[in-house]
């Protein structure tokens, strides 16, 4: 819904590419269709993740192609049912184009959500502003990624969507619909607590976010806030990930991009207090960056657990800078009668079979 208009996006499958059509219902009930495959046949459109109100019956569309250089911003005139390329500066919109849930709220403006909070788009000022920081509440930050804004006033925000808690670690699976209501509090219930910051070097998973939430609800001395500066999901080139040939390079690029500033921030005291999922960043494993946790592990009850994975993470001098809390094993499973009793390993012929 944009300024009283309702825009329905419809994907069109062509012989060798994709395109879209927009079916728009005006405030008086008139229905018009703009078909990109006919009006702009030279464009290959994989998705239209963003529709932003520009005012005066116009909306800005981000038409995402298979290559970033082929993606375009288009201005859709809803009254005239025409579409032209937007030629002005769009650098300020780089955080918006990956969002699939821009929401136009009557009287308040145009908004979208990221994992750290709700952002407001000010088209007249060409800026994206922080509207609400999710550190101000204790919402599960993994679920947030699947929410959209259902309604909003200055004192109450309703979020909802379908959430997936699939995890090979916890055994959780399936999806469910969830609605979260945020109401403005008279005072900050966490005032006076010591703030700790936590960073995940890949992404904030559901179990991690749930653990942070449980900690914040139950601890009367400390409050954990998220540090998003090093999250791979926020820094990776999503369009490059669509190309199988470029995906590995995109992963390597973002690892290199994040590891150096993290090391600098840790040395200067500006880094996070807690790092999760950092085992791939082995260059951090020294006392210049991290605390030796070996003495803390000795106090843990590890009976019944595979504690050898902790031993494997120790440095040659016995220091432990990162505690693995989960691990996975890759291998082959074969029928018992396909190998000799107590056989270790396979012959080349058995691999072939």
């Amino acid at each position: 819904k944009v300024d009283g208009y309702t825009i329905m996006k419809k994907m069109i499958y062509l012989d060798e590419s994709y395109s879209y059509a927009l079916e728009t219902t005006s405030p008086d009930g008139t229905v018009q269709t703009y078909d990109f495959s006919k009006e702009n046949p030279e464009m290959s459109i994989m998705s239209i993740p963003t529709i932003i109100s520009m005012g005066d019956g116009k909306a800005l569309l981000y038409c995402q192609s298979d290559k970033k250089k082929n993606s375009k911003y288009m201005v859709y005139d809803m009254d005239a049912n025409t579409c032209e390329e937007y030629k002005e500066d769009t650098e300020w919109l780089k955080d918006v184009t990956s969002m699939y849930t821009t929401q136009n709220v009557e009287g308040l403006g145009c908004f979208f959500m990221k994992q750290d909070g709700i952002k407001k788009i000010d088209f007249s000022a060409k800026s994206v502003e922080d509207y609400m920081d999710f550190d101000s509440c204790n919402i599960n930050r993994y679920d947030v990624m699947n929410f959209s804004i259902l309604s909003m006033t200055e004192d109450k925000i309703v979020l909802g969507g379908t959430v997936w808690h699939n995890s090979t670690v916890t055994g959780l699976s399936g999806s469910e619909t969830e609605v979260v209501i945020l109401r403005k509090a008279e005072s900050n219930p966490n005032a006076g607590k010591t703030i700790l910051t936590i960073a995940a070097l890949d992404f904030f998973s559901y179990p991690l976010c749930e653990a942070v939430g449980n900690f914040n609800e139950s601890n009367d001395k400390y409050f954990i806030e998220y540090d998003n500066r090093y999250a791979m999901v926020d820094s990776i080139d999503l369009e490059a990930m669509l190309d199988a040939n470029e995906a590995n390079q995109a992963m390597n690029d973002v690892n290199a991009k994040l590891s150096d500033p993290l090391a600098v921030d840790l040395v200067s005291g500006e880094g996070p207090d807690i790092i999760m999922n950092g085992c791939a960043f082995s260059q951090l494993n020294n006392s210049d960056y991290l605390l030796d946790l070996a003495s803390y592990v000795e106090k843990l009850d590890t009976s019944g657990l595979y504690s050898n994975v902790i031993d494997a993470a120790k440095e040659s001098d016995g220091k432990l800078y990162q505690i693995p809390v989960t691990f996975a094993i890759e291998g082959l499973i074969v029928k018992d009668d396909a190998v000799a009793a107590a056989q270790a390993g396979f012959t080349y012929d058995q691999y072939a079979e």
Side-chain angles (χ1 to χ4, degrees), residues 135-136 186-195 216 219-223 225:
D135 281 331
S136 301
E186 294 182 3
S187 61
N188 182 1
N190 299 301
K193 293 183 180 180
T194 300
I195 301 297
N216 286 341
N219 197 288
D220 58 359
K221 293 182 179 179
Y222 297 94
F223 184 84
E225 292 184 352

Side-chain angles (χ1 to χ4, degrees), residues 25-37:
T25 305
S26 66
D28 65 6
T30 302
V31 178
Q32 299 185 96
T33 299
Y34 184 88
D35 190 335
F36 278 94
S37 68

Side-chain angles (χ1 to χ4, degrees), residues 115 142 145 167-169 197-212 226-227 230-233 251 254-255 258-259 262 266 272-285 290 293 321-328:
Q115 197 169 25
Y142 178 83
M145 294 188 295
S167 172
T168 56
V169 175
T197 56
I198 187 169
L201 302 190
D202 48 5
F203 66 97
F204 293 111
S205 65
Y206 171 77
L208 171 59
C209 292
E210 194 70 2
V212 170
Y226 294 82
D227 187 339
Y230 317 100
M232 181 182 297
V233 69
M251 293 286 287
V254 75
N255 274 330
L258 295 175
S259 60
L262 173 58
L266 288 172
D273 297 304
I274 306 165
I275 296 174
M276 295 293 295
N277 304 336
C279 287
F281 294 76
S282 57
Q283 68 269 32
L284 300 178
N285 291 347
L290 302 176
L293 300 171
Y321 296 107
Q322 305 197 46
I323 301 177
V325 293
T326 64
F327 67 96

Side-chain angles (χ1 to χ4, degrees), residues 125-235:
K126 289 186 169 53
S127 65
V128 176
E129 305 166 355
D130 292 329
Y131 183 78
M132 179 187 172
D133 186 341
F134 284 139
D135 281 331
S136 301
C137 62
N138 206 22
I139 193 171
N140 186 295
R141 299 279 275 272
Y142 178 83
D143 287 346
V144 157
M145 294 188 295
N146 296 302
F147 286 163
S148 58
I149 300 169
L150 303 183
S151 69
M152 179 187 291
T153 65
E154 292 183 351
D155 298 320
K156 187 174 84 169
I157 301 172
V158 182
L159 308 174
T162 301
V163 296
W164 288 265
H165 295 162
N166 296 326
S167 172
T168 56
V169 175
T170 64
L172 295 168
S173 62
S175 63
E176 59 184 66
T177 300
E178 190 171 304
V179 175
V180 174
I181 302 174
L182 305 176
R183 289 188 174 89
K184 192 172 183 179
E186 294 182 3
S187 61
N188 182 1
N190 299 301
K193 293 183 180 180
T194 300
I195 301 297
L196 302 174
T197 56
I198 187 169
L201 302 190
D202 48 5
F203 66 97
F204 293 111
S205 65
Y206 171 77
L208 171 59
C209 292
E210 194 70 2
V212 170
N214 291 340
F215 178 90
N216 286 341
E217 292 287 350
S218 61
N219 197 288
D220 58 359
K221 293 182 179 179
Y222 297 94
F223 184 84
I224 295 177
E225 292 184 352
Y226 294 82
D227 187 339
N228 292 283
R229 291 176 294 172
Y230 317 100
M232 181 182 297
V233 69
D234 287 337
S235 300

